[in-house]
Amino acid sequence: MNFFYFSSPSTFFRLAGRLAPAFFILAAVLAAAGLYVGLVQAPTDAVQGEVYRVIFIHVPAAWMSMFIYFVMACYGAMALTFNSRLSAMMARALAPTGAMFTFVALWTGAFWGRPTWGTYWVWDARITSELVLLFLYLGFIALSNAFEEPRRGDRAASLLSIIGIVNLPIIYFSVQWWNTLHQGSSIKLTGSSMHVTMLTAMLLMTFAAWMYAIAASLVRVRSVILERERRARWVRDLGRT
Amino acid sequence: MEGHGFYLAMSYGMAAVAIVVELVALALGRARAWKQVEEERSLEAQD
């Protein structure tokens, strides 16, 4: 199979249209299972009580906020290096979903922090660097829309995404590098300190968030492709699907 | 819920609202993109 076959916007537009509903369904099924296991099956935490259940939305959102940024920066790098139109469009399509997950991670963190730390917000290294990530996403979105010529916006935003990637290790290692209120990681490559039911719920919710991010990005990139390529013959010949 | 219902409701509630807002934005973006395509088609038809 030709690797570059799907890098054509016209080919990818059709592929994205076929894949997006499947990813939305997968996300819904995984989220339903994750919520059931997390809110019904998982035991009450011995220390935090019921409020720990925020973890099933907070941690997947935080993981996705970083993962989506990494993927977005990779697309940005490809757009700058190979001048590929679809890479820039994918980066642009990922940014709002990444920003949404970052906002959810910050918001749920605040509502988890209040009963456990006694405050909604503290200028802790982990939380502050996550807030910087939200500003990077917003900056990317603003910059990519700031130019009359979309390709110039793509280049500027791609550059910002690549520079901003330095923030990801800061977020991840912040709890080790600095003395923070935020707890360390409960899941490592060597194992987990969590109850197996809690871990199952968290992983189900993470996969649900992942599938949702893919689905939302595929839908958004179709709109971006349509707007950018609206003068192309293949778009004008399209039926509305 | 040991008095923690408010924090859980605000967390899950806002996550749900954020997803709904994004889905609405996606639908609006799709409609706007198709509108631009339709405008381009009508311009071409006039020519």
Side-chain angles (χ1 to χ4, degrees):
Chain A
M1 190 175 77
N2 184 357
F3 179 74
F4 295 104
Y5 178 68
F6 289 108
S7 65
S8 152
S10 61
T11 313
F12 194 77
F13 179 85
R14 293 179 179 89
L15 179 71
R18 282 197 291 271
L19 291 178
F23 280 108
F24 270 126
I25 292 167
L26 257 176
V29 170
L30 286 166
L35 287 172
Y36 176 73
V37 177
L39 300 180
V40 179
Q41 298 276 300
T44 304
D45 186 74
V47 179
Q48 295 189 26
E50 298 292 346
V51 80
Y52 92 92
R53 293 182 201 276
V54 173
I55 200 173
F56 302 124
I57 196 84
H58 174 73
V59 172
W63 281 349
M64 289 313 298
S65 70
M66 291 190 286
F67 181 65
I68 291 173
Y69 192 91
F70 177 74
V71 176
M72 188 183 85
C74 288
Y75 275 122
M78 281 198 284
L80 278 181
T81 311
F82 303 113
N83 199 26
S84 62
R85 287 177 300 159
L86 189 60
S87 302
M89 293 180 197
M90 276 305 297
R92 188 180 275 236
L94 281 163
T97 304
M100 186 276 285
F101 277 118
T102 312
F103 171 75
V104 169
L106 287 166
W107 179 277
T108 54
F111 279 89
W112 195 4
R114 182 70 181 90
T116 50
W117 301 340
T119 180
Y120 285 105
W121 183 266
V122 60
W123 292 101
D124 171 284
R126 168 64 66 83
I127 304 166
T128 307
S129 52
E130 185 74 7
L131 181 66
V132 169
L133 185 68
L134 178 62
F135 292 151
L136 281 167
Y137 274 122
L138 297 178
F140 180 95
I141 294 166
L143 206 50
S144 60
N145 290 305
F147 295 86
E148 194 72 34
E149 167 57 44
R151 300 297 292 274
R152 287 184 67 198
D154 287 344
R155 282 193 290 275
S158 296
L159 195 61
L160 175 68
S161 71
I162 294 165
I163 293 166
I165 209 164
V166 73
N167 190 43
L168 295 186
I170 294 174
I171 297 172
Y172 188 78
F173 292 110
S174 57
V175 289
Q176 295 170 27
W177 291 345
W178 292 285
N179 185 22
T180 67
L181 257 183
H182 199 285
Q183 70 177 68
S185 178
S186 303
I187 300 174
K188 297 186 173 87
L189 287 174
T190 49
S192 163
S193 57
M194 291 176 75
H195 187 281
V196 67
T197 319
M198 297 175 183
L199 182 63
T200 304
M202 209 166 82
L203 292 178
L204 281 169
M205 290 298 281
T206 301
F207 282 116
W210 193 356
M211 296 302 109
Y212 170 81
I214 294 172
S217 306
L218 289 177
V219 171
R220 190 175 291 107
V221 80
R222 274 168 61 87
S223 299
V224 176
I225 290 172
L226 278 182
E227 286 181 4
R228 296 274 184 96
E229 305 275 309
R230 63 183 183 276
R231 293 188 183 89
R233 169 58 57 191
W234 73 267
V235 171
R236 280 187 272 176
D237 291 343
L238 271 177
R240 187 164 180 163
T241 52
Chain B
M1 286 287 168
E2 304 163 1
H4 292 151
F6 169 73
Y7 303 106
L8 285 172
M10 289 301 286
S11 298
Y12 282 86
M14 181 53 82
V17 167
I19 288 170
V20 168
V21 166
E22 187 177 27
L23 291 176
V24 170
L26 284 174
L28 291 175
R30 182 176 179 274
R32 190 178 59 236
W34 275 111
K35 193 179 169 203
Q36 289 182 7
V37 172
E38 297 297 339
E39 284 170 3
E40 206 61 44
R41 281 174 178 164
S42 52
L43 276 175
E44 189 192 39
Q46 283 172 17
D47 292 341

